[in-house]
Amino acid sequence: MTTPRRSSLPTGDSATTPHPSTTTPPATVIDKAQYGLAAFLVLAGGYVLYDASTLDRAFADQPVQPYALPFLVGGALVLLGVLLAIATARGDRPEAEEGEDIDLSQGTDLRTIGLLVGVLVANLLLIDWLGWAITGALLFAGTTYVLGSRTWVRNLAIGAALSFGSWYGFYVGLGLPIPAGILDGVL
């Protein structure tokens, strides 16, 4: 089987097709909002570096000191901010997220955002009375319901496992008190 030969002659009307050397390149559009993000990263990193310089150097017997991590994070933030500013100046722009279930032409769903805010506010109002173990499960179940899940029993079971596990992780593991609410003395 032979492949058809392509003609080296141009196709179409050469009067309407511009010559490649005569076309002007598209103007580079700079996304100026990225400069704001770059400045924020540099400022945040600078503050972290400043704050790390004020830490007490009390653990002299350890090879890696506790203040090493803030210096690493602050330096990384400053470096990322500078690199973002350079990339922005070169004309690099982030691409819009493409997802198979995301319609980028639609606006924000204010009803969903309002319901999520309502679930969070209810959690804030009830956490001292009911405690994290209960409100955490309700927070998870309410959030998943607002976002489309309709299996209440599974959502409450997963939420309860997560909230009880995080309560014990913080209270017992880290020694940080989290409100137990009506389950005080039971947990």
Side-chain angles (χ1 to χ4, degrees):
M1 182 171 172
T2 61
T3 58
R5 299 180 87 193
R6 292 188 179 179
S7 172
S8 61
L9 298 174
T11 58
D13 186 12
S14 62
T16 60
T17 307
H19 191 270
S21 64
T22 62
T23 59
T24 58
T28 304
V29 178
I30 295 178
D31 186 7
K32 294 180 183 170
Q34 289 186 110
Y35 284 126
L37 179 59
F40 174 76
L41 287 172
V42 170
L43 287 174
Y47 179 75
V48 170
L49 289 172
Y50 164 74
D51 196 40
S53 69
T54 63
L55 292 176
D56 184 24
R57 290 155 170 63
F59 301 100
D61 61 339
Q62 297 178 358
V64 177
Q65 299 295 316
Y67 57 82
L69 185 62
F71 279 114
L72 183 68
V73 169
L77 286 171
V78 170
L79 177 67
L80 288 174
V82 169
L83 290 175
L84 179 60
I86 291 170
T88 302
R90 290 182 178 170
D92 290 348
R93 293 187 325 171
E95 293 183 20
E97 181 179 348
E98 293 182 18
E100 58 189 58
D101 61 345
I102 299 171
D103 186 5
L104 298 175
S105 65
Q106 295 295 319
T108 304
D109 185 7
L110 295 177
R111 179 184 178 275
T112 301
I113 291 175
L115 289 172
L116 287 172
V117 168
V119 169
L120 289 171
V121 168
N123 186 40
L124 289 172
L125 295 175
L126 295 174
I127 194 167
D128 284 335
W129 180 55
L130 293 177
W132 170 250
I134 295 173
T135 60
L138 295 175
L139 175 68
F140 182 84
T143 302
T144 56
Y145 181 80
V146 168
L147 295 177
S149 177
R150 298 296 182 248
T151 54
W152 274 99
V153 174
R154 182 182 67 196
N155 294 342
L156 282 171
I158 293 171
L162 290 173
S163 63
F164 278 92
S166 63
W167 189 88
Y168 278 110
F170 277 95
Y171 195 79
V172 176
L174 297 175
L176 299 173
I178 294 179
I182 60 175
L183 296 178
D184 192 21
V186 176
L187 294 176

